[in-house]
């Protein structure tokens, strides 16, 4: 797609939709829709924040109430990479907003000449930072999403999840590795109990978000089944809310990796939903107490954590010394 074709799109309408969703001082990154957004910011009563280099740490420390990242052409697709989105997210102040604009490949053939992200992929990448919300007033030819940053440091963790994390973290001993660490909230809870933690996660955007939110924790982007640990061994291996999402053969492979990562006398901790209380259409494997205990028995005597919220199963086993 050429710039001349871009000019024929309703850029003023698109820019206005972006700026209406912004708040306060607003930085405009990316290709900027040929300058349309930067023009719309002061025209709509917002203060335009100039940031020459999004990777500049000083700029990130200052932060902006809103950051708009526009990638209008196929040749700008790198602006929507996990790393680029992570840099833009780092510029968003607490309580602020990230707005992302990209061409909609479902709208017209003009987008098919390049590797343009579709709606689902863009939502998955933005989901590493929060809940992306489509902006209803956007022209159909574009995808416009908003992600809000919480007022507090780190993500807002629902009370029920926080209770689960607290119960699990209390069981950890020594050095800890979490297999399937997501966006890092559980790893951070374990770290706050005084443990050294490593998180392993396949989803690149989630790893990027975890590194931004919890810079003092090591997060590794890797397939769990292929992760060797670099020769390291850990006192505790955690697999939390992962096994219900994978078929049995993959889950068995994760347990083999867990055994290889455990030091002598190490502890395996597993948390899964209790099928008697949380049926879920997206879960492809279901566990009750008997099933989970049977799965963990090869690791040693299996113990149930009685203070775990009842909708979840939390069990641990210690390898023989």
């Amino acid at each position: 797609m050429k710039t001349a074709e871009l000019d024929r799109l309703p850029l003023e309408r698109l820019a206005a939709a972006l700026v209406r969703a912004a708040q306060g001082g607003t930085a405009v990154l990316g290709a900027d829709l040929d300058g349309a957004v930067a023009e719309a910011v002061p025209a709509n009563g917002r203060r335009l924040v100039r940031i020459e280099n999004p990777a500049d740490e000083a700029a990130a420390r200052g932060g902006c109430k809103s950051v708009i990242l526009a990638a209008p052409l196929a040749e700008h697709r790198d602006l929507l990479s996990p790393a680029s989105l992570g840099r833009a997210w780092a510029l968003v102040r607490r309580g602020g907003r990230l707005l992302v604009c990209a061409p909609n490949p479902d709208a017209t053939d003009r987008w098919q000449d390049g590797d343009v992200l579709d709606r689902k992929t863009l939502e998955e990448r933005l989901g590493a930072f929060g809940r992306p919300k489509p902006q209803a007033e956007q022209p159909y030819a574009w995808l416009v999403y908003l992600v809000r940053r919480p007022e507090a440091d780190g993500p807002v963790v629902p009370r029920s999840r926080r209770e689960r994390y607290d119960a699990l973290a209390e069981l950890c001993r020594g050095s800890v590795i979490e297999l399937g660490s997501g966006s890092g909230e559980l790893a951070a809870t374990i770290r706050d109990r005084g443990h050294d933690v490593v998180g392993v996660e396949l989803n690149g955007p989630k790893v990027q978000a975890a590194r931004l939110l919890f810079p003092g924790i090591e997060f590794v982007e890797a397939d769990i089944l292929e992760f060797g640990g670099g020769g390291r061994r850990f006192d505790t291996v955690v697999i939390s809310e992962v096994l219900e999402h994978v078929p049995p053969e993959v889950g068995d492979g994760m347990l083999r990796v867990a055994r290889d990562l455990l030091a002598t006398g190490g502890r395996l901790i597993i948390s899964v939903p209790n099928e008697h209380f949380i049926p879920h259409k997206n879960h492809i494997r279901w566990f009750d107490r008997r099933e989970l205990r049977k799965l963990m028995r090869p690791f040693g005597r299996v113990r149930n954590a009685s203070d775990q919220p009842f909708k979840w199963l939390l069990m641990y086993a210690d390898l023989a010394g």
Side-chain angles (χ1 to χ4, degrees), residues 159-176:
R159 179 179 177 181
S160 61
R161 190 185 309 168
R162 191 166 61 247
E163 290 174 350
R164 301 200 305 274
Y165 289 175
D166 287 341
L168 191 153
E170 287 294 332
L171 297 174
C172 292
R173 305 186 303 189
S175 59
V176 182

Side-chain angles (χ1 to χ4, degrees), residues 1-9 11 34 73 75-76:
M1 178 180 172
K2 306 300 183 183
T3 302
E5 294 177 297
L6 181 66
D7 292 340
R8 293 199 295 270
L9 296 174
L11 295 187
D34 281 359
L73 303 177
E75 55 260 36
H76 301 138

Side-chain angles (χ1 to χ4, degrees), residues 297-319:
R297 192 168 293 136
F299 285 81
R301 180 184 175 187
V302 182
R303 296 175 174 85
N304 181 63
S306 59
D307 58 346
Q308 171 78 351
F310 70 96
K311 292 184 178 181
W312 300 83
L313 299 174
L314 175 60
M315 295 187 182
Y316 64 98
D318 298 331
L319 288 178

